Amino acid sequence: MLEDMPASLSIDQVVNLRAPETYLVRVQGDSMQGAGIFSGDILVVDKGREPMRGNVIIAVINDEPICKRLDYCEGAPVLRSDNPKYPPRFILESDRFEVWGVVRYSLRDHDRN
């Protein structure tokens, strides 16, 4: 069953877009398909939200952006894929690591070829 949406409701309200804390990124790759995130999807990312264990995040490791699930092992961050063919990415002391935000929503074009 589908629920009717009010005519005045905008996509900004639905996904709570609040610039400058919120931004959009397009996914490339299949490492998060187990989380329902597929190549070509657009992610709504909240950089004002505190990342917690289990969140899907956008991070940068050594200048390379990455979308993974945040975990910890002995207090150190570990980035995990939601696709079993990819191993976890342990963050080393020598890595330059920064979390750019927590993924809140994904948008998919169901008409793309």
Side-chain angles (χ1 to χ4, degrees):
M1 174 166 244
L2 299 176
E3 180 181 331
D4 288 332
M5 301 296 283
S8 64
L9 190 63
S10 74
I11 191 71
D12 293 357
Q13 292 170 308
V14 172
V15 298
N16 198 22
L17 289 177
R18 300 178 337 267
E21 291 87 15
T22 307
Y23 65 96
L24 305 173
V25 297
R26 187 175 302 274
V27 175
Q28 293 179 344
D30 63 352
S31 70
M32 294 305 291
Q33 67 185 13
I37 299 172
F38 299 92
S39 194
D41 286 357
I42 296 171
L43 303 180
V44 179
V45 183
D46 186 342
K47 65 182 181 180
R49 182 170 234 182
E50 185 68 30
M52 299 176 65
R53 172 180 269 141
N55 286 151
V56 175
I57 63 168
I58 302 298
V60 176
I61 303 172
N62 302 324
D63 302 320
E64 192 71 33
I66 190 168
C67 178
K68 299 290 181 204
R69 190 170 300 278
L70 180 63
D71 197 2
Y72 291 91
C73 181
E74 297 179 10
V78 178
L79 302 181
R80 300 187 186 278
S81 298
D82 275 20
N83 182 334
K85 76 179 190 180
Y86 296 99
R89 173 56 162 92
F90 293 86
I91 306 303
L92 307 174
E93 275 189 36
S94 60
D95 287 329
R96 291 183 317 280
F97 172 70
E98 182 180 359
V99 176
W100 279 7
V102 176
V103 174
R104 296 296 314 258
Y105 301 92
S106 61
L107 306 171
R108 181 171 307 121
D109 178 358
H110 292 274
D111 191 38
R112 72 176 169 223
N113 296 324

